Each structure stands twice: as structure tokens, then as C-alpha cells.
Amino acid sequence: MDVLARLCGHSPQQTGELLDRLVASQTLAGWQHDRGTDEICWQSPAVPRAEH
């Protein structure tokens, strides 16, 4: 989280809020912060399959 926040020029709290907004806009399906490793994992939204 700290590295992502620093790269984005935000605080960790602002980065969490940004990720929440991306989920709300369905740009991301979800995200999770592993506090033990400080890693952020996110899920891409499902891509609808084209019907034939």
C-alpha cells in the first residue's frame, strides 16, 4: 500500500478511497490490502462474453 500510495502521490488512506471509488464505478471488481505483507490485490471485473 505504501509503495502504491507513493507512486500515485497519495496517502495510504487516499489510495484506499481511490480503490473504493474504482470498485463503485465497476472499474475493479474488488480489492484487498494484506497488512502483513503490505500488498494490494485487486480483481478485474468480469468481461461479458459475446453471444453468437
Side-chain angles (χ1 to χ4, degrees), residues 10-33:
H10 297 282
S11 70
Q13 179 181 351
Q14 289 171 315
T15 302
E17 291 169 1
L18 172 62
L19 291 168
D20 287 340
R21 287 195 304 267
L22 291 171
V23 171
S25 69
Q26 299 180 347
T27 304
L28 292 177
W31 70 278
Q32 183 175 5
H33 178 207

Side-chain angles (χ1 to χ4, degrees):
M1 175 67 92
D2 288 335
V3 172
L4 181 60
R6 189 171 40 255
L7 289 172
C8 292
H10 297 282
S11 70
Q13 179 181 351
Q14 289 171 315
T15 302
E17 291 169 1
L18 172 62
L19 291 168
D20 287 340
R21 287 195 304 267
L22 291 171
V23 171
S25 69
Q26 299 180 347
T27 304
L28 292 177
W31 70 278
Q32 183 175 5
H33 178 207
D34 182 333
R35 295 184 192 284
T37 62
D38 201 38
E39 290 182 332
I40 299 290
C41 298
W42 57 74
Q43 300 84 36
S44 298
V47 177
R49 296 188 326 167
E51 294 184 31
H52 298 284

